[in-house]
Structures are given as structure tokens and as C-alpha cells.
Amino acid sequence: MELTIKINNTPVQAEPGELLLDVLERQGIRIPTLCHMKGFFPSGACRMCVVENEQTGKLITACSHTVEQGMNIKSHSARVIEARKTIVELLLSNHPDDCLYCVRNGLCDLQDLAREHCITERRISGAKNRHHLDLSSASIVRDPAKCILCGRCVKVCSEVMEVSAIDFINRGSNTVIGPTFNKGLNTSSCINCGQCIMVCPTGALSEKNHFAEIRDALNDPTKTVVVQYAPAISVTLAEEFGMAPGTDINGLLNAALRKIGFDRIFDTTFAADLTIMEESAELIHRIKNHGHLPMITSCCPSWIKYAEEFACDFLPNISSCKSPQQMLGAVLKSYYAEISNTEPENLYVVAIMPCAAKKFEGQREEMTQRGISDIDAVLTTRELANFIRLFGIGMDKLEAETADSPHGVRSSAGKLFGASGGVMEAALRTAYFSVTNTELPQCKIEQVRGCTRRKEATITMGDLTIGVAVVNGLSNAKTLLDEIRNGRDDLHFIEVMACPGGCINGGGQPLHKNPEALKKRMEALYQIDETETIRVSHQNPEVLALYQNFLGTPLGNKSHELLHTSYCQRNVLL
Amino acid sequence: MTTDDELLAGFTDAEEDSLIPILQEIQGRNGYLSAEAIVKVGRCLKVPTSRIYGVATFYNQFRFEPRGKYHIQVCRGTACHVLGSATVLENLEKELKIKAGQTTRDGLFSIEVVACIGACGLAPVICVNTTFHAKVTLDSLKIIIDEYRDAT
């Protein structure tokens, strides 16, 4: 049964139990919010979304109140606007006035609200927030002075990631958000996914910047600076330059990187193909030799850190393959250094990733050879966009270019790594070929595609039938792992990605407000896969050449030394 | 087996809602909540330590450092406030070079802020271990602290 309420004196139909905010939105009325996140339990903490209920004469929060028969809601009465303005003024009263020096200048919800509410002078002044900057994490910088305590980061960390590295500390005006004992993020259980950055309305959370190091390397004549970019970058970078979500600008990306001055441009998707060669071989090896099953993917560094902290019982199940970023790093600092006559210490490898955790992964001890890091610096998509702007490169004036040999050719299977389900599909295409010696019919596994939290399928490869599952968002991974702990045994292969939807929605991606963007980015990856000729990793000619010239065979000695690793329990404050 | 383990053994089937009673019991035994104790409680109740620390810092009653030999409670109730307890606290913190909730490095003094200790006639009042000191002034405060210092 529908209810009738009035919104600004106009009768409107609404479902019982519907939130006022949703009804107002449906009417095309935008209500400002700060603490609200769609799909999460409302907290009503910031009061930004107040509307006036004429029936009772009260100001109520639209995000947490449901519709009631006979309500007459005033969405923008003078009283409402004044109340919202006061809320913003109060939030600004103790906020550091350093917008010009803030990483989120121009991308800040608080700044937008202040502008919208015509706040041009300081009416309320309070003692400024003074807190130490937390620079302890390899991936994420915390500036609690800029925090407005909306709690979005706390919710994402606990409900999407099931990590709860941070929470509210103290009470009243002393409240801060921080890790246990208000210590640095580096000793917390933080998995560096960066989803907190994506939901933070201000500059309180940001990625650790590698700008200066890269600039210095580019200006150092003794260094050969090579760059690699992840599969998801080419379909998300466009949004930073005003193009529609899902526009693939791979060619322009190559051209822009060359203009910036990188000596060689390689595609991490090449290494994704390499990962698939190793990972599919490992899967078949484990199935045939009664190894630890289900095998779980290892490409996502947030998932790896989560497993090291919360799921040590599954460490033997995790594929020993390094992630594509690290595989390419290892190949560059060994094979490429050799063929290009460069000392590994003079080869500076930059990775452009959709991810904050890749910064952490790049500096892991396991990811070194003779004391030299395989990856020297990691840029997020957002940082890359800033780099392109800094170098004054007009993306609309560029001509498409290709990446460099010998690590620039890719299959479209590797490209799928950017979306949840992509690693699974790419690995199964190659595993199918290894087992049956024929290509997977239609080269497509529809069941593992899409943005849903969990996808499962049963795949038959010749006389072998395996169960596979794909999860994104670590809370969903935890549910699946709990099922396996409780005796579920029909699964052979699991793909885990920490970020909802996979890397196309990673913590280093453009800060977007467009809810359709994720879908468009995913569609773009599958569109690339539809149209290309090399659709399986085992047909990538450069990968095959690398095996022939250097690595030998998948799971061989050289591979074992360079492309595989192992993980152990990590002691942090859980 | 430490005392914390013994204590937690009594809460094997406890759920999240037992958190505050457990913390109170640990503080009752140890005088404070150590980092180790918080980690153990987290494991026992399957609650993240960040949430335990959040809950514990929400309430004034929990402290995270051992009490000093002389534990000073500063009353911040209404009568004491009217008669200047904010200044008393401020000066005490300056004198001992610690903040409320902390303990001096030599382990001699610790400060706790309490809401009202029911001695409004003596305001502003502080209580050192179990001894009340009435109508504290900035001069008398210094003398009180010096006396305890000299007593050791």
C-alpha cells in the first residue's frame, strides 16, 4: 500500500518504509549529505540532510527518517537552509584553513557545501583541530585535523572490508577517528585498500604521494625510468579529463607517458598474461597432485594482507604467484636489465595502479632481488592524472601510440584483470586449453562476470570438472571462507578482490560521484575483450617469447625464483 | 597463565555485550587496561581492538596506564567547577607534567578526572589514594604534592 506525503506542498506517492532522502531524490530534489552512504545503515550523524516536517514543526534528517502518512516536507525552507548553513559553519569552525595546500582542494565535499551555502565569512570560530599527521603507512596518509567525523571510513572499513582498522576514539569534542591506541596505521590491521579515501568527504585521508621521487628519477641522467600501467587504468583515466566513464584511452595513455619522459612504456597487462600462464599451471598442478585446494588468487595486495592477518589458515591455499605488478617488476630488473645493458640499480620502475595497496606491495621485503626493490614507485590513477596536468599535456591533442616491446603486447584476457571475475575467466581460458588442447568455446564464462558480490560456476574441462567462485569486498570473502571452514568442499579455485567490483573501483581511482561509472568501466573491459584478436594469455607472442628466451616453462626454476613468493602470518593489532 | 587469561576463561561464551563488564573487571584487578589485555579481550569476544579502544576511551572510568603510587582524583563536579577546579586540574597537570589519565614516568603520580566525589562542601576537592584534600588552592596544591614527593 502506498502512502501519500507532501513535498513542498506537492502530493507525492511513496512506499511505506522508504527513506525521505530516496523519495526526495526521486522527485529530482538533491539534499546535501555528508555522513550518508547509499546501501549502508544510516547514522544521521552530520545533520546535513535536515528537512522540515511541517506536521510536527521539527527539523528531521532525511537520510534516517522514513516516510509517514500525511507528512508535509519542506526541503528548502528558510529555516532548513539556515540550519544547514550553520552546520557547515560549525564544521568549518575548527577545520584547518589550508584548502590551498590540501590534496582535496577542488574535490572536497565540505568545500562544495560551503560554496553552495554561500559561506564567505567566518561567523563561528573555535579552537583549531591539532593532530599529528599519520605518515606511518606505506599507502595511506591520515590527517585527523581535517576529519569531520562523518564516520564513512569507519563504516567502509568494518562493513565492506571486515577489517575495522579504525574507529571513533574518545568522546564529545575530543573525538577522533584512528586505529587502536591512536597509533599509526602501520601497526594496525589496515589492508591499504584505500576505500576509506574514496568515501572521505575531505582531505583527512589520501594516498601516500610518490611524486617527488619520480620527478627526481626522471631528471636523473643515470637512471633509465620505465613505467608500467595496470589493466584498469586505460578505462578509468578518461574520467579525470572529462571524458565519459568507460572510455578506453590506452593509446593516449601511452602517448602521454612518453611525453612525460618515461624511457620505456610497458603494459602490466602483459604481466597479467604471464601471471595467468603461471597461475593456471599452478591450479592444474595442485588439482592433479592433491595440493592445497581451493586455490585462491594472489593478485590483490589488500586481500593478501587481510589473509596474513585474519585468514592465516588459508595461506597455503593462496597461489604462490606474485601479482602482475611484481612479476613485471621482477622481469624488468632481471631480464630487461640484462637485454638493455642497464644495471638493475639504475633501472627505475614506476607502476601506475588503480590501487593504494600496490604502494605497500611494492615495498614488501619479499619483492626484492639482492636488496633492490622490483618496483621503485607506484602512482595511483589520480596521481597520474595530476602528473599529466603538471606536464601540460593536452589529452585531446594526442595521437594514440603503442606500448614498447618486449613487454607491451597483451591479450584481452589479461585486460579483464581490472574487473571482478576477470582473473578467474582469464585463468580458466588458459587452464581449459592446457587440459583439453582446444580453446574454450566462445572464450567466455558469463557466470563469473558482473558486479554482484559473489559469483559461482562449475566448469568442465575435458574429464575434469571444477567448482569456482569469485568474491569482491572482503566481507564477502570472509563469508565464503567461513563456509569452507565449515566443511564446504566443492570449490577448486577462488578469486578474491578486496574492492567492490574489482580494480576498476580501486582505492586509487578517480573520485567520482557517478554511480553508473563502475558499470561503464566494466563494460569497457568486456568490450575490449569482444573486439580483439588475441583473447587468451597463452597466445600472447611476447609472453611466449619470454618463456623461450629466458624463463623456460611455467613453474620452472627461473619462474620459481622470480615470479613466485610465499606469505606468513603478520602480527598486527587485530 | 596470566591473570587476564584466568579472568577471560570465565567469559568463554561471552558476546560483544559483555565488553564493558569484562573491561571493568580487568581494570579492577590490574588498575588499568594494558594493550595486551585489550588484544586478549578482542580475541575472546571476536571484537576488533579498534572498537574496544573506542568503547573504552568513550568512558572516563577506563585508563590505559598503570596507576601511580599516589593516584590523584580531581573532582570536576558542579560545585568544584564553580570554585575553580578547572584551574586546579590545569596546574596539577603542569606541576606533574602529565595529562589526566596519565602516570608520571617515575610511577609516583597519576591523575584521574572524576565527575563528583560527593564532597561538595569541601570544594574544590582532590582525593589522593583515599585521603581528601579540601578547598585546594594553587599554593596548597603545590604543598600537597611536595609532601607526597618527600614521603617517598
Side-chain angles (χ1 to χ4, degrees), chain B residues 118-130:
Chain B
C120 304
L122 310 177
V125 61
I126 64 170
C127 177
V128 184
N129 293 345
T130 51

Side-chain angles (χ1 to χ4, degrees), chain A residues 254-262 265 391-394 397-398 401:
Chain A
N254 290 328
L257 291 172
R258 217 161 260 140
K259 277 239 177 336
I260 289 173
F262 290 107
I265 294 144
F391 280 80
I393 296 166
K397 299 281 189 294
L398 293 177
E401 293 178 17

Side-chain angles (χ1 to χ4, degrees), chain B residues 37-95:
Chain B
I38 287 178
V39 171
K40 279 179 187 167
V41 173
R43 252 180 239 148
C44 171
L45 295 180
K46 297 189 177 64
V47 176
T49 50
S50 60
R51 198 164 305 150
I52 300 178
Y53 189 67
V55 169
T57 52
F58 184 87
Y59 298 101
N60 264 336
Q61 60 173 295
F62 295 113
R63 48 187 299 119
F64 305 93
E65 290 180 30
R67 286 173 178 224
K69 185 175 177 193
Y70 302 110
H71 184 61
I72 307 171
Q73 291 178 308
V74 180
C75 179
R76 291 284 288 120
T78 314
C80 289
H81 175 73
V82 170
L83 289 167
S85 64
T87 321
V88 170
L89 176 61
E90 194 185 313
N91 274 273
L92 186 62
E93 288 179 338
K94 254 187 217 161
E95 174 70 29

Side-chain angles (χ1 to χ4, degrees), chain A residues 300-354:
Chain A
C300 172
S302 292
W303 150 244
I304 292 296
K305 187 159 187 269
Y306 178 92
E308 289 172 322
E309 296 167 357
F310 296 94
C312 298
D313 49 337
F314 282 97
L315 288 179
N317 295 68
I318 293 180
S319 161
S320 63
C321 294
K322 289 181 184 174
S323 71
Q325 164 181 294
Q326 294 307 138
M327 281 203 183
L328 189 49
V331 168
L332 288 173
K333 293 248 170 145
S334 54
Y335 176 69
Y336 180 75
E338 193 187 304
I339 61 164
S340 64
N341 273 328
T342 318
E343 290 299 319
E345 50 267 44
N346 288 333
L347 190 63
Y348 193 88
V349 180
V350 178
I352 296 162
M353 294 285 140

Side-chain angles (χ1 to χ4, degrees), chain A residues 218-369:
Chain A
L218 284 169
N219 285 324
D220 184 342
T222 62
K223 299 267 189 230
T224 303
V225 187
V226 301
V227 66
Q228 55 162 310
Y229 54 83
I233 305 295
S234 76
V235 296
T236 54
L237 182 67
E239 290 162 52
E240 285 276 351
F241 297 96
M243 291 176 245
T247 311
D248 179 32
I249 53 166
N250 208 337
L252 301 185
L253 171 63
N254 290 328
L257 291 172
R258 217 161 260 140
K259 277 239 177 336
I260 289 173
F262 290 107
D263 296 313
R264 278 280 182 279
I265 294 144
F266 296 130
D267 192 340
T268 315
T269 314
F270 158 86
D273 286 332
L274 189 58
T275 308
I276 287 304
M277 296 299 283
E278 296 290 328
E279 199 158 358
S280 58
E282 187 185 358
L283 175 68
I284 293 165
H285 181 82
R286 284 191 190 216
I287 292 174
K288 287 192 173 155
N289 297 287
H290 308 287
H292 282 281
L293 289 172
M295 187 173 93
I296 311 179
T297 56
S298 58
C299 305
C300 172
S302 292
W303 150 244
I304 292 296
K305 187 159 187 269
Y306 178 92
E308 289 172 322
E309 296 167 357
F310 296 94
C312 298
D313 49 337
F314 282 97
L315 288 179
N317 295 68
I318 293 180
S319 161
S320 63
C321 294
K322 289 181 184 174
S323 71
Q325 164 181 294
Q326 294 307 138
M327 281 203 183
L328 189 49
V331 168
L332 288 173
K333 293 248 170 145
S334 54
Y335 176 69
Y336 180 75
E338 193 187 304
I339 61 164
S340 64
N341 273 328
T342 318
E343 290 299 319
E345 50 267 44
N346 288 333
L347 190 63
Y348 193 88
V349 180
V350 178
I352 296 162
M353 294 285 140
C355 177
K358 288 283 172 190
K359 290 177 188 269
F360 171 82
E361 186 186 39
Q363 52 91 66
R364 285 180 73 116
E365 270 188 331
E366 301 92 326
M367 308 300 177
T368 54
Q369 295 174 61

Side-chain angles (χ1 to χ4, degrees), chain A residues 158 163-172 178-183 573-574, chain B residues 33-36 38-39 47-51 53-55 57-60 64:
Chain A
S158 118
V163 169
S164 292
I166 47 173
D167 209 330
F168 289 93
I169 298 171
N170 298 329
R171 181 172 53 171
T180 318
F181 307 122
N182 213 357
K183 285 188 174 171
L573 283 164
L574 292 184
Chain B
L33 301 175
S34 66
E36 296 75 34
I38 287 178
V39 171
V47 176
T49 50
S50 60
R51 198 164 305 150
Y53 189 67
V55 169
T57 52
F58 184 87
Y59 298 101
N60 264 336
F64 305 93

